[in-house]
């Protein structure tokens, strides 16, 4: 009897404890993107009791992980908080002891965050840690949360070159200048043609002199380009339509040229002499290097590309002088000396945004991604990958990217200068074409009206008079010669 009563009491007590634990878990379940801000050595990552606690290793790098007072903040910290809210775990954040990302040391052991995971000092690594084949052999990676590549970070004044003799042509591309020349010649030809066809501009072809010769038309068009009035002055409506449209075209074109040329001079963003890694190898003015023990260094070491091998040999021979310990040291060295830093392009974009005197060369190689590292047998790898995909699909990763990469330098148009291409001025050229067509149509209408009056007076066909007028105006010398021969035969 005593045993049965004791067993019943134990069952009831266990049921009550389980019920309280379940209610506490429901009340304290952390929400997505609502986890507390992380701090040094704290493990208060969700108040729910009974949730698993993960030890997270990371590295200090702006804007991924930064120290703000007694706490850590940044892109990776907000990403970690979002993942903890989705997967219901608590976490303790620790900064990697040796300040390294992870590489194989001389004794065969791994350094950095990879080494801490292998030694079970941390469960996962949430940092700008590049997914590589060598690291994938010893740890597991989730789906990348950021895509990047390898680029070259330079200081603008170290890459500047003397302006070319024809630097004033730079605001427009070659295609735009070609289109402008074609538009100028076409407009002058239409002026010349319409002035000959219009009876209001040239009423008596046999007796009057046409002031709008082709050379005068060229001069008139050039005067409009220089915002100067030029003779002869148009009298017919059709000629004036073409003249007005050309004036408006040149006014808008000059405004675009002046604006782009001013931006060019103020930004100093002429074409960089170092566009590719091959250009970097060929020059002798800049030293170049990367982070010591980083995936970028081993990328060039393992590459079969001859240019990449030359870069690796240069860095290996001068590793004491060109390899840097931290990313901050690399940026500062680029700003203070003739040094080019080879590293992750996404981090270089941030540096160029924060420091307006820095710029990244156009070429990017070795497309890669940043992933979360776990132990190979970890049950968290797949859930973390799925959570990262959900954050990407919901737009949260894009939101974090825009938030932490925001900078005033990115909003300066001078750093994004480029020559104007024809599509940018397409509407302007279209307006000019329509104006030329209207001018030609107006000239034909004026000539047709004059031909009808002449045909009615001479009792001839309107079409024949219209044709004679066109031939007379377009081939005035031949027509005059024929009329003289006809009058000579009549007198004989």
């Amino acid at each position: 009897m005593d045993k049965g009563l004791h067993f019943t009491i134990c069952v009831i007590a266990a049921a009550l404890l389980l019920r309280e634990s379940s209610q506490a878990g429901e009340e304290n379940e952390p929400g997505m993107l609502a986890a507390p801000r992380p701090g040094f050595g704290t493990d208060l990552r969700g108040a729910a009791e009974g949730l698993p606690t993960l030890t997270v290793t990371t590295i200090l790098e702006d804007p991924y992980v930064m120290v703000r007072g007694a706490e850590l903040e940044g892109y990776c910290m907000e990403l970690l908080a979002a993942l903890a809210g989705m997967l219901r775990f608590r976490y303790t954040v620790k900064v990697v002891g040796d300040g390294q990302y992870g590489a194989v040391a001389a004794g065969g052991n791994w350094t950095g965050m990879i080494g801490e995971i292998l030694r079970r000092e941390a469960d996962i690594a949430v940092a700008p840690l590049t997914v590589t084949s060598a690291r994938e052999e010893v740890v597991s990676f989730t789906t990348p949360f950021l895509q990047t590549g390898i680029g070259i970070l330079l200081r603008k004044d170290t890459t500047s070159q003397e302006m070319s003799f024809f630097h004033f042509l730079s605001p427009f591309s070659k295609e735009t200048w070609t289109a402008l020349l074609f538009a100028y010649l076409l407009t002058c030809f239409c002026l010349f043609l319409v002035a000959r066809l219009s009876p209001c501009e040239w009423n008596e072809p046999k007796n009057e002199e046409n002031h709008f010769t082709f050379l005068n038309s060229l001069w008139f068009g050039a005067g409009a380009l220089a915002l100067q009035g030029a003779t002869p002055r148009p009298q017919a409506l059709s000629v004036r339509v073409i003249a007005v449209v050309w004036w408006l075209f040149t006014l808008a074109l000059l405004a675009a040229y002046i604006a782009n040329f001013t931006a060019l001079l103020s930004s100093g963003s002429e074409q960089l002499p170092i566009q590719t890694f091959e250009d970097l190898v060929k020059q002798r003015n800049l030293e170049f290097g990367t982070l010591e023990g980083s995936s970028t260094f081993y990328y060039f070491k393992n590459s079969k590309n001859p240019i990449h091998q030359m870069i690796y040999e240069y860095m290996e021979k001068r590793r004491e002088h060109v390899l840097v310990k931290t990313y901050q040291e690399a940026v500062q060295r680029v700003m203070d000396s003739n040094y080019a830093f080879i590293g992750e392009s996404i981090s270089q974009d941030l540096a160029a945004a924060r420091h307006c005197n820095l710029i990244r060369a156009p070429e990017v190689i070795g497309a890669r991604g940043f992933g979360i590292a776990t132990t190979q047998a970890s049950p968290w790898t797949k859930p973390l990958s799925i959570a990262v995909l959900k954050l990407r699909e919901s737009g949260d990763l894009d939101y974090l990217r825009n938030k932490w990469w925001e900078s005033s330098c990115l909003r300066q148009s001078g750093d994004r200068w480029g020559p104007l291409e024809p599509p940018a001025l397409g509407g302007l050229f279209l307006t000019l074409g329509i104006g030329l067509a209207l001018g030609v149509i107006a000239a034909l209408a004026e000539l047709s009206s004059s031909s009808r009056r002449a045909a009615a007076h001479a009792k001839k066909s309107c079409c024949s008079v219209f044709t004679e007028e066109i031939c007379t105006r377009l081939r005035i010398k031949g027509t005059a010669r024929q009329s003289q021969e006809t009058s000579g035969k009549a007198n004989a």
Side-chain angles (χ1 to χ4, degrees):
M1 184 67 179
D2 293 337
K3 292 183 179 180
L5 181 60
H6 184 268
F7 177 77
T8 304
I9 293 174
C10 291
V11 171
I12 294 174
L16 291 174
L17 289 174
L18 289 174
R19 182 181 179 184
E20 291 177 1
S21 176
S22 175
Q23 290 177 350
E26 292 176 358
E27 292 174 358
N28 297 316
E29 177 181 315
M32 179 180 176
L33 293 174
R37 294 171 63 184
F40 286 104
T42 59
D43 58 357
L44 301 177
R45 301 300 184 265
E49 298 294 338
L51 294 180
T53 301
L54 300 182
T55 302
V56 181
T57 180
T58 188
I59 192 170
L60 296 178
E61 181 177 332
D62 185 12
Y64 304 99
V65 182
M66 300 172 291
V67 179
R68 291 294 182 269
E71 294 183 334
L72 295 176
E73 69 174 18
Y75 178 96
C76 289
M77 292 298 97
E78 292 199 17
L79 173 63
L80 179 59
L83 295 174
M86 296 177 67
L87 302 179
R88 303 178 185 178
F89 64 83
R90 304 166 68 189
Y91 56 91
T92 301
V93 180
K94 62 186 294 289
V95 178
V96 61
D98 58 5
Q100 300 292 321
Y101 290 86
V104 181
N109 297 322
W110 281 82
T111 63
M113 292 177 283
I114 301 297
E116 290 190 352
I117 291 178
L118 293 176
R119 294 189 298 270
R120 305 288 180 171
E121 297 174 8
D123 298 305
I124 61 175
V126 181
L129 190 60
T130 306
V131 180
T132 64
S133 58
R135 292 172 178 171
E136 190 75 55
E137 290 180 354
V138 294
V139 297
S140 295
F141 280 97
T142 64
T143 300
F145 56 85
L146 269 180
Q147 298 294 333
T148 183
I150 300 176
I152 308 171
L153 184 65
L154 307 159
R155 196 174 75 246
K156 287 182 179 179
D157 58 354
T158 61
T159 61
S160 60
Q161 57 183 2
E162 295 183 359
M163 294 185 179
S164 64
F165 191 71
F166 296 98
H167 192 64
F168 68 93
L169 299 176
S170 300
F172 291 160
S173 65
K174 295 179 181 179
E175 294 78 8
T176 303
W177 284 115
T178 303
L180 175 59
L181 178 62
F182 177 77
Y184 167 71
L185 295 176
L186 180 62
T187 302
C188 294
F189 176 76
C190 288
L191 278 173
F192 166 73
L193 178 64
V194 169
R196 278 182 168 267
L197 292 178
S198 174
C200 299
E201 189 70 40
W202 196 25
N203 191 25
E204 294 293 338
K206 297 180 181 180
N207 302 323
E208 293 182 6
E209 180 183 358
N210 190 334
H211 297 291
F212 269 98
T213 62
F214 188 68
L215 290 179
N216 286 345
S217 299
L218 291 175
W219 176 248
F220 183 88
L225 276 174
L227 297 181
Q228 300 294 324
T231 56
R233 302 189 181 280
Q235 299 177 1
L237 176 64
S238 55
V239 182
R240 290 179 177 179
V241 168
I242 293 179
V244 168
V245 172
W246 177 244
W247 286 335
L248 294 176
F249 174 83
T250 55
L251 191 63
L253 193 73
L254 287 173
Y257 176 87
I258 293 173
N260 219 33
F261 191 59
T262 303
L264 168 63
L265 293 179
S266 61
S267 66
S269 58
E270 57 270 7
Q271 186 179 19
L272 295 174
I274 298 178
Q275 296 279 330
T276 64
F277 285 87
E278 184 176 359
D279 297 334
L280 184 64
V281 172
K282 291 180 179 179
Q283 60 82 37
R284 293 294 180 268
N285 297 326
L286 298 177
E287 292 183 321
F288 54 88
T290 186
L291 289 175
E292 184 178 3
S294 64
S295 61
T296 302
F297 180 82
Y298 288 98
Y299 173 86
F300 288 99
K301 179 179 180 179
N302 299 326
S303 176
K304 303 301 181 182
N305 188 304
I307 300 297
H308 299 171
Q309 280 294 307
M310 293 174 64
I311 293 175
Y312 167 72
E313 292 173 1
Y314 173 90
M315 294 190 298
E316 180 64 27
K317 291 178 180 178
R318 301 168 176 82
R319 60 182 307 133
E320 297 296 331
H321 301 286
V322 299
L323 297 184
V324 293
K325 302 294 183 181
T326 64
Y327 177 77
Q328 290 77 10
E329 178 187 349
V331 173
Q332 193 63 40
R333 186 168 177 180
V334 173
M335 297 177 62
D336 297 340
S337 62
N338 292 334
Y339 181 77
F341 173 61
I342 301 175
E344 302 291 347
S345 61
I346 192 170
S347 300
Q348 293 176 348
D349 289 338
L350 177 69
R354 299 284 175 84
H355 307 281
C356 298
N357 62 332
L358 300 182
I359 191 171
R360 179 175 61 80
E363 186 181 31
V364 176
I365 61 174
R368 53 184 61 192
F370 292 155
I372 300 174
T374 66
T375 58
Q376 287 188 330
S378 174
W380 291 98
T381 307
K382 186 172 182 180
L384 286 170
S385 293
I386 296 175
V388 168
L389 290 175
K390 289 182 178 179
L391 290 175
R392 179 181 297 168
E393 293 169 356
S394 63
D396 288 325
L397 291 184
D398 292 333
Y399 167 76
L400 291 178
R401 171 74 159 79
N402 296 331
K403 174 183 177 180
W404 290 101
W405 267 255
E406 182 181 6
S407 174
S408 58
C409 290
L410 291 175
R411 294 190 292 268
Q412 294 180 0
S413 60
D415 291 336
R416 300 299 181 198
W417 177 89
L420 286 179
E421 300 290 342
L425 302 173
L428 196 58
F429 283 97
L430 178 61
T431 302
L432 177 63
I434 294 175
L436 297 180
L438 289 176
V440 174
I441 292 173
L444 292 176
E446 292 171 349
L447 184 60
S448 176
S449 177
S450 176
S451 299
R452 282 196 301 269
R453 291 194 300 268
H457 180 74
K459 297 181 180 180
K460 293 183 179 180
S461 170
C462 181
C463 291
S464 62
V465 174
F466 182 77
T467 305
E468 290 176 3
E469 284 288 335
I470 291 180
C471 293
T472 302
R473 294 173 183 277
L474 297 182
R475 294 179 294 157
I476 185 64
K477 294 183 179 180
T479 306
R481 189 181 299 110
Q482 291 177 2
S483 62
Q484 291 177 358
E485 293 177 355
T486 303
S487 61
K489 291 180 180 179
N491 292 333

